[in-house]
Amino acid sequence: MKDKRILYVSSEVVPYLPETELSSTAFNVAKKAHSKGVQTRIFMPRFGVINERRHQLHEVIRLSGMNLIINDMDMPLIIKVASIPKERMQVYFIDNEEYFKRKAVYSDEDEELFDDNDERMIFFAKGVVETVKKLNWAPDIIHIHGWMASLLPLYLREFYKEEPLFTESKIVTSLYNSGFEGELDSEMADKVRFDNLDEAKVKTIETPNHTNILKSAIENSDAIIKGSEDLSDEILDFIDNSETVVLDFQKDEDITEAYLEFYSEKVLENLND
């Protein structure tokens, strides 16, 4: 895996957000890969609860400045970057005043999901791809963590399918049980349709609940990792019927080595045969 390029895209990463199964796994796997000589980049949303001064975030002017079209609206893309102390690993933050300035992550003070979480997902997916294009950095593997990042496989497979930078990239999605109750905006599928994506694939998120968002990620990924020990029966059945390469849940002490082995032996070698 030395000198391979892995793009980690996660809803949450420590130390920028509280420690959870998701945020810790995304960080630890990237850290291990980096220590083995893998070229890594980490992307996450710049949620308003992240303390920019403490973590020394700064805007990258050469990467910022473009507008992304979200449901026929021009939304300015701001890119910020920070380095994880001691690790020499760069983390890129996708930012926008409308979507990410609020001092919260997914929900308001009453634990109600934000009405625009669907648009935040679309913006995040497009923002990651457009930034990587500006960096001209072609990843061998794109590893996705968390539901806020779970539209990225769909957009890579459909909206950006002609983009040469990602022609050889393999998409790996880790699935977690840290989701949300209820549904996102009822018009989410129509907002995705605005980008002229394949109708059969859009239908998967017609009812935009956590399960269907994960199903969309599964059907557009090359490989799946069970990031949580307990996933719903519906998701497990969907994985079984997907004929996708799968890595089962790993205990903390095995996780980083198992992931690197999975990349090398299953994702890159087997899928290139």
Side-chain angles (χ1 to χ4, degrees):
M1 290 297 297
K2 185 171 168 38
D3 294 327
K4 293 293 186 183
R5 293 178 171 186
I6 303 182
L7 173 64
Y8 291 95
V9 184
S10 184
S11 305
E12 305 168 25
V13 179
V14 292
Y16 305 104
L17 289 176
E19 186 170 337
T20 63
E21 182 176 56
L22 192 167
S23 64
S24 298
T25 300
F27 167 73
N28 287 328
V29 174
K31 175 184 173 182
K32 183 69 172 184
H34 186 72
S35 73
K36 294 287 189 179
V38 176
Q39 296 183 47
T40 62
R41 295 280 194 281
I42 304 174
F43 278 73
M44 68 178 292
R46 206 291 296 176
F47 295 113
V49 295
I50 296 171
N51 189 313
E52 294 197 12
R53 179 175 295 178
R54 180 190 308 150
H55 296 296
Q56 299 183 344
L57 273 66
H58 63 272
E59 184 176 350
V60 186
I61 302 299
R62 68 183 179 88
L63 298 176
S64 299
M66 79 170 70
N67 283 351
L68 304 180
I69 299 175
I70 309 297
N71 195 32
D72 204 22
M73 296 182 296
D74 281 352
M75 305 301 290
L77 173 63
I78 301 168
I79 303 299
K80 295 176 180 174
V81 69
S83 294
I84 295 179
K86 302 179 183 178
E87 308 300 340
R88 295 185 179 179
M89 288 169 53
Q90 283 196 317
V91 180
Y92 291 82
F93 296 83
I94 301 297
D95 198 4
N96 171 272
E97 288 283 315
E98 181 74 21
Y99 291 139
F100 296 113
K101 185 176 182 179
R102 67 201 70 158
K103 299 292 184 183
V105 180
Y106 311 120
S107 308
D108 63 21
E109 61 272 14
D110 297 319
E111 297 300 315
E112 295 290 331
L113 288 169
F114 291 124
D115 292 339
D116 62 353
N117 274 337
D118 58 331
E119 294 179 13
R120 298 167 95 205
M121 291 177 68
I122 297 169
F123 185 89
F124 183 52
K126 287 185 172 183
V128 168
V129 175
E130 295 297 342
T131 304
V132 175
K133 284 168 60 179
K134 277 200 170 184
L135 291 168
N136 195 30
W137 194 78
D140 296 289
I141 293 173
I142 301 169
H143 191 166
I144 290 145
H145 301 261
W147 65 265
M148 181 64 78
S150 291
L151 282 185
L152 185 54
L154 172 61
Y155 271 81
L156 284 167
R157 287 286 183 256
E158 293 295 323
F159 192 72
Y160 292 103
K161 61 185 175 185
E162 304 297 332
E163 175 52 56
L165 201 67
F166 304 102
T167 302
E168 302 298 324
S169 301
K170 304 302 180 187
I171 303 173
V172 178
T173 295
S174 285
L175 305 175
Y176 299 89
N177 58 18
S178 53
F180 56 87
E181 297 294 327
E183 300 177 6
L184 301 185
D185 188 88
S186 61
E187 296 181 2
M188 177 177 179
D190 289 333
K191 295 172 187 178
V192 172
R193 284 189 183 97
F194 180 83
D195 291 319
N196 296 315
L197 305 191
D198 181 83
E199 179 58 28
K201 297 210 173 164
V202 176
K203 279 193 174 298
T204 303
I205 55 171
E206 193 76 60
T207 300
N209 56 32
H210 183 248
T211 296
N212 289 338
I213 287 169
L214 294 190
K215 286 181 179 180
S216 173
I218 294 166
E219 68 183 5
N220 291 289
S221 296
D222 296 296
I224 295 299
I225 296 176
K226 297 176 182 177
S228 292
E229 188 169 12
D230 298 314
L231 297 172
S232 72
D233 290 340
E234 188 174 353
I235 286 295
L236 293 174
D237 288 344
F238 195 82
I239 294 171
D240 290 341
N241 292 324
S242 70
E243 300 182 358
T244 305
V245 178
V246 179
L247 176 65
D248 286 328
F249 175 76
Q250 303 292 312
K251 295 181 180 177
D252 285 347
E253 61 267 26
D254 303 322
I255 199 166
T256 52
E257 289 294 343
Y259 280 32
L260 290 176
E261 184 178 310
F262 183 65
Y263 294 153
S264 177
E265 297 184 6
K266 299 295 184 182
V267 178
L268 293 178
E269 288 200 15
N270 281 10
L271 293 175
N272 284 329
D273 291 343

